[in-house]
Amino acid sequence: MTNLTGRGAIVTGGFSGMGFAIATALAKAGANVAVGSYVAPPQPGRADAAYYPGADEIERVKSALATHGTKVHAAHLDVRDSALTNLFFAEAQAAIGPADILVNAAGTTAEQPVCGHSDELWDKIVDTNLTGAFRATRAVLPGMIERGWGRIVNVGSTAASVGWKDNPAYCASKAGLLGLTRCVALEGAAHGVTCVMISPTWVETELMRRNVAQVVEREGKGRSAEELMDEFRKGNPQGRMMQPEEIAALAVFLCTDLAKGITMENIQITGGALW
């Protein structure tokens, strides 16, 4: 049911969190996988909460994915730069074959109110989460249409439909990503190409931990980051935090032939939570 043997899959933001979990699940299902993330040295004092892997992470990710016996490619990717994005996708497809599957998981956020967002911070979040997904999609969609088969999965958030104070750029970017998802789905529908957005609530990832740390820093109130995360767990109707592997399992299913009728959808994984 989840056999993707021979398919080529590219995952942005694939070195950690949901992106890495999805890349791993795709490799387990038989897909050749290329992953890209923004590789950078430590950046103390930066305003966003994203996890930026160091160069040493490239080999670790390659080795971990290669254990599943498929072709693997891993490299630096800056989805905010069209030229670098196109270069990465060209090199990825040279390494693993044509991209049949694209997962847009690259993302960042920051704990700031509207009045606290500089132009630079706003642009960085929207350019990564929304325009970056557009650039990646533009790089592979023509080939998918030409071959008559393709799967595009965008990692969204409940933030696409529910506001969260002090996260205006993130909420705006995810709402925009849903609009992009619907347009891509319609563009590809007649050519065997689907496009779906998965929108989870809080998922226990490094990005979430960094985001929660920002909340604690801004609000204080004597709580630790772990105490706040525990509040989020208890506030979920299931009394727990969603895990990256849950998102990955759905993503893999959406990439199979069994899911060819599922397109233009926003599928939420929330445990019953509104956010």
Side-chain angles (χ1 to χ4, degrees):
M1 291 177 63
T2 58
N3 186 355
L4 297 174
T5 300
R7 296 293 186 189
I10 298 179
V11 182
T12 73
F15 280 31
S16 63
M18 288 181 278
F20 181 71
I22 293 170
T24 301
L26 288 168
K28 286 181 178 178
N32 301 313
V33 180
V35 293
S37 281
Y38 193 96
V39 175
Q43 301 174 37
R46 57 185 171 79
D48 68 318
Y51 169 68
Y52 294 104
D56 58 323
E57 291 285 280
I58 294 176
E59 289 305 318
R60 179 192 67 78
V61 170
K62 278 184 180 178
S63 297
L65 294 176
T67 60
H68 304 293
T70 63
K71 296 178 183 177
V72 173
H73 176 74
H76 169 71
L77 169 61
D78 183 0
V79 295
R80 295 173 296 161
D81 185 305
S82 290
L84 291 177
T85 298
N86 292 337
L87 177 62
F88 170 84
F89 275 80
E91 292 177 343
Q93 292 183 88
I96 69 164
D100 303 303
I101 295 164
L102 168 65
V103 178
N104 285 309
T108 188
T109 189
E111 190 69 19
Q112 288 288 346
V114 168
C115 298
H117 270 71
S118 64
D119 285 356
E120 181 182 13
L121 180 59
W122 177 276
D123 290 345
K124 183 175 188 178
I125 294 169
V126 174
D127 203 16
T128 301
N129 298 358
L130 174 56
T131 313
F134 158 73
R135 292 187 181 100
T137 300
R138 184 177 59 185
V140 300
L141 185 57
M144 291 178 175
I145 289 174
E146 182 180 349
R147 294 187 298 274
W149 199 96
R151 299 288 184 268
I152 299 173
V153 177
N154 293 325
V155 178
S157 167
T158 48
S161 53
V162 180
W164 183 265
K165 79 171 180 129
D166 295 343
N167 280 270
Y170 184 75
C171 291
S173 68
K174 295 302 185 179
L177 185 60
L178 179 54
L180 176 64
T181 298
R182 290 166 173 161
C183 292
V184 172
L186 290 172
E187 189 170 343
H191 308 283
V193 179
T194 68
C195 186
V196 181
M197 188 159 95
I198 301 175
S199 288
T201 181
W202 291 105
V203 179
E204 195 165 2
T205 64
E206 183 62 24
L207 174 62
M208 184 202 167
R209 290 184 178 278
R210 289 169 180 263
N211 188 198
V212 168
Q214 286 191 337
V215 175
V216 170
E217 184 178 349
R218 276 182 51 79
E219 296 184 356
K221 300 180 181 179
R223 294 177 300 183
S224 69
E226 188 53 47
E227 286 172 335
L228 183 54
M229 287 188 66
D230 196 49
E231 285 184 27
F232 289 146
R233 291 186 189 98
K234 292 176 180 176
N236 187 284
Q238 292 187 341
R240 67 185 187 91
M241 198 80 73
M242 303 301 111
Q243 298 300 310
E245 292 74 20
E246 297 175 76
I247 316 306
L250 176 57
V252 169
F253 173 73
L254 292 171
C255 293
T256 67
D257 284 330
L258 290 174
K260 62 185 175 183
I262 304 175
T263 193
M264 209 170 75
E265 296 294 336
N266 179 32
I267 304 175
Q268 297 193 354
I269 301 180
T270 68
L274 293 177
W275 169 268

